[in-house]
């Protein structure tokens, strides 16, 4: 359908990211509503939790040819979180800016942050975690 203009891994990464959105929203709601975290702290917890979940799913599906296991899996997760931390920081920064300016509901602010985060995560993790060009 896309005439091979988008790499299959990028599509798979995006589909896994969709599951991460659900994880993110659940974690955010839990922290913000049930634990009474403020927006930023709930967002930080949700971003790290969703990123960790996405890493494990991507490791099993998207990058199964380079799949990490054992201690390499733990090292890969730490590397993934470090490498993608710039995108995660941008996610929290953008969503917080949207939220505090009053121009967006929390949900719209969260999606703005996720959009900024996706591109960096795919490019950085492909190269520096699973070592694929």
């Amino acid at each position: 359908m896309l005439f091979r203009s988008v790499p299959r891994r990028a599509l798979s990464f995006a589909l896994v990211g969709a599951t991460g959105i659900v994880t993110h929203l659940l974690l955010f709601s839990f922290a913000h509503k049930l634990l009474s975290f403020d927006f930023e702290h709930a967002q930080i917890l949700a971003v790290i939790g969703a990123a960790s979940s996405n890493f494990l799913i991507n490791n099993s599906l998207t990058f199964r040819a380079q799949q990490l296991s054992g201690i390499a899996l733990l090292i890969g997760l730490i590397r993934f979180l470090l490498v993608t931390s710039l995108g995660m920081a941008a996610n929290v920064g953008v969503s917080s800016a949207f939220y505090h300016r009053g121009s967006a509901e929390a949900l719209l602010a969260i999606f703005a942050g996720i959009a900024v985060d996706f591109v960096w995560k795919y490019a950085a993790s492909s190269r520096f975690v699973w070592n694929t060009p």
Side-chain angles (χ1 to χ4, degrees):
M1 185 165 107
L2 296 172
F3 302 105
R4 299 180 193 229
S5 61
V6 177
R8 281 187 224 151
R9 276 198 183 115
L11 291 175
S12 178
F13 197 85
L15 291 172
V16 170
T19 69
I21 291 171
V22 173
T23 303
H24 185 115
L25 294 174
L26 289 172
L27 287 171
F28 178 84
S29 293
F30 174 76
H32 192 57
K33 292 183 170 75
L34 296 177
L35 299 179
S36 300
F37 282 23
D38 64 15
F39 182 87
E40 283 80 14
H41 288 103
Q43 196 48 348
I44 290 167
L45 175 75
V47 166
I48 293 170
S52 299
S53 171
N54 283 0
F55 168 80
L56 294 171
I57 296 169
N58 274 312
N59 186 60
S60 296
L61 299 176
T62 308
F63 297 98
R64 71 178 162 259
Q66 296 86 13
Q67 189 171 16
L68 306 172
S69 62
I71 193 70
L73 180 66
L74 179 60
I75 292 168
L77 174 61
I78 293 167
R79 184 179 291 157
F80 177 80
L81 293 173
L82 288 172
V83 164
T84 62
S85 63
L86 180 62
M88 290 189 286
N91 182 333
V92 173
V94 166
S95 64
S96 294
F98 268 71
Y99 182 74
H100 289 296
R101 290 194 183 245
S103 60
E105 294 282 328
L107 189 60
L108 183 58
I110 289 167
F111 278 110
I114 289 170
V116 169
D117 196 5
F118 169 77
V119 174
W120 175 254
K121 271 195 174 117
Y122 175 69
S125 66
S126 292
R127 178 68 182 111
F128 297 112
V129 176
W130 286 283
N131 201 25
T132 59

